[in-house]
Amino acid sequence: MTQAPSLSIVAPCHNEEEGLREFCRRASAAAQSVAGDAFELILVDDGSSDGTWEIISDLAEKLPQVLGVRLLRNHGHQLASTAGLSASRGERVLLIDADLQDPPELLLMMMPIMERGADVVYGQRTRREGESWFKLASASLFYRALSRLASVTIPRDTGDFRLMRRRVVDILLAMPERDRFIRGMVSWIGGKQVALPYERDARFAGTTKYPLRKMINFALDAITSFSTTPLRIATWLGMISAGVAMALLVYTFVRWLQGETVTGWSSIMAAVSAFSAIQLICIGIIGEYLGRLVQESKRRPMFMIETILRGGEHAELPTAFSEMSAGDKRSALDAAFASGEPRSQKNSRIG
């Protein structure tokens, strides 16, 4: 069994070929400043369609600290991050995006905070460079809505950029849900969590991987994962609608007793449309939660790994790697690279 590094850096990558080498250079320099050579840099290729995997393969052959993880298809940022965390072995784990919006050099400020007893040190954005007013406004609205709806305290203006102790990572990996919201899950774990304010940089290269559609889906995952308030809102809307309908019925009956006929096709249609809209909203809210229950009940693998690369060696992993406990995953990784004999990539198995 190989000796576990003291620090792991996990970076999910999707079409990041333009800035990946610069990220690796800066992240490696920061890691060496705090851990010497006792670190690993885990680069997760989340189904990229450009030359990202070729660059990761080249970096893995040149740098012994680089571990390349290639997923079988695009799973999305949260599951790609989970796959990278599953492959990590360090006592401290830094989760960071590869687009260099979150400076790797902040690791030098995070480590002393953790030395003073923090379980998690998370970056909290005070400024966001290179982002449109719509992105800034929608992000602000999302974080403030989430802080009011969520059943746990989730810090505002934070992403997944954070340094975590091994025990926190192991608890995070033990959580079985498929629709993952990592920053919320880490907050739910608790412990001593400390914010590190910083100014977020513009992307080093490339374009954002979070268009409006993905942002909306991400917000829905976050809210439904950590709050049942929307279900209560649906209940209150139903009760209010029933009350209004009862009032209208009493009003109509009184007018009938007075011998006055209530006319107005437009007003009737407006009332019917309003109640129908409320019903559809309530059904939609219930459907969001029900759909997530269906996905969780299927128990499909959380992610599928095509191959793991260290140096020139492609490792084989057990088929059920994604469902293993954190300790069993580390043992499987150690066993996969124990022989030191290169394996052909085509012999890799899904994990």
Side-chain angles (χ1 to χ4, degrees):
M1 180 180 295
T2 58
Q3 184 177 2
S6 61
L7 172 67
S8 297
I9 299 178
V10 175
C13 311
H14 180 64
N15 294 339
E16 297 288 355
E17 65 175 355
E18 297 178 36
L20 191 53
R21 293 185 187 277
E22 177 64 12
F23 168 77
C24 184
R25 183 189 68 79
R26 288 175 57 180
S28 297
Q32 286 180 333
S33 298
V34 298
D37 291 330
F39 75 93
E40 61 180 358
L41 176 57
I42 302 173
L43 303 175
V44 183
D45 178 18
D46 185 24
S48 299
S49 57
D50 62 0
T52 296
W53 178 247
E54 286 71 23
I55 294 175
I56 292 176
S57 300
D58 182 60
L59 291 171
E61 290 183 3
K62 294 179 179 178
L63 301 173
Q65 290 87 3
V66 172
L67 177 68
V69 179
R70 189 178 195 184
L71 301 185
L72 196 62
R73 63 171 178 82
N74 178 256
H75 286 275
H77 181 272
Q78 297 296 286
L79 290 182
S81 298
T82 302
L85 293 173
S86 298
S88 68
R89 299 177 300 143
E91 287 302 313
R92 297 176 182 181
V93 182
L94 176 70
L95 180 59
I96 183 173
D97 290 341
D99 56 15
L100 288 174
Q101 287 188 280
D102 303 319
E105 293 79 10
L106 290 179
L107 176 64
L108 279 70
M109 301 174 65
M110 290 177 162
M111 290 292 279
I113 298 175
M114 187 160 282
E115 292 288 350
R116 294 194 291 270
D119 294 297
V120 178
V121 183
Y122 58 87
Q124 190 164 41
R125 305 156 184 163
T126 59
R127 188 176 179 183
R128 300 159 67 113
E129 295 288 345
E131 296 186 354
S132 66
W133 68 268
F134 177 77
K135 179 67 177 291
L136 294 174
S138 59
S140 176
L141 178 63
F142 163 69
Y143 284 116
R144 278 145 187 78
L146 183 62
S147 66
R148 289 183 175 273
L149 295 174
S151 56
V152 297
T153 301
I154 301 176
R156 295 182 180 183
D157 301 316
T158 61
D160 294 325
F161 177 43
R162 60 196 60 223
L163 180 67
M164 299 172 282
R165 289 188 184 273
R166 180 79 255 167
R167 63 182 178 184
V168 173
V169 175
D170 288 348
I171 295 172
L172 177 63
L173 294 176
M175 297 181 182
E177 53 258 50
R178 267 63 177 165
D179 293 314
R180 300 176 80 80
F181 182 59
I182 291 177
R183 67 199 70 170
M185 296 166 74
V186 174
S187 296
W188 181 89
I189 292 172
K192 185 178 180 180
Q193 304 200 14
V194 181
L196 175 65
Y198 75 105
E199 294 185 4
R200 198 178 198 212
D201 297 333
R203 287 184 61 91
F204 178 80
T207 58
T208 179
K209 306 306 184 297
Y210 265 94
L212 180 61
R213 176 181 60 84
K214 286 189 175 181
M215 288 172 59
I216 293 174
N217 290 337
F218 185 65
L220 288 174
D221 285 342
I223 293 172
T224 54
S225 294
F226 287 91
S227 176
T228 58
T229 301
L231 290 174
R232 295 180 180 176
I233 292 174
T235 301
W236 281 106
L237 284 174
M239 294 176 65
I240 293 171
S241 299
V244 172
M246 183 63 67
L248 287 173
L249 181 61
V250 172
Y251 172 79
T252 303
F253 181 70
V254 171
R255 299 288 287 185
W256 178 78
L257 291 177
Q258 294 174 347
E260 299 180 7
T261 304
V262 178
T263 61
W265 180 85
S266 298
S267 59
I268 292 175
M269 292 303 298
V272 170
S273 299
F275 288 126
S276 298
I278 291 174
Q279 289 175 345
L280 290 174
I281 290 172
C282 295
I283 292 173
I285 292 172
I286 295 171
E288 286 291 332
Y289 285 91
L290 183 60
R292 277 153 178 75
L293 287 174
V294 171
Q295 293 299 323
E296 295 293 336
S297 67
K298 291 179 180 179
R299 303 298 300 173
R300 291 173 180 170
M302 192 177 299
F303 53 83
M304 298 171 289
I305 295 176
E306 181 177 349
T307 186
I308 291 186
L309 175 65
R310 179 182 291 154
E313 184 179 359
H314 292 271
E316 291 184 1
L317 293 174
T319 304
F321 177 78
S322 64
E323 308 306 309
M324 289 181 172
S325 67
D328 289 342
K329 285 174 181 174
R330 290 195 291 274
S331 297
L333 285 165
D334 289 334
F337 290 107
S339 65
E341 297 177 359
R343 296 185 177 94
S344 173
Q345 181 173 349
K346 64 182 181 180
N347 292 328
S348 301
R349 293 186 290 174
I350 297 174

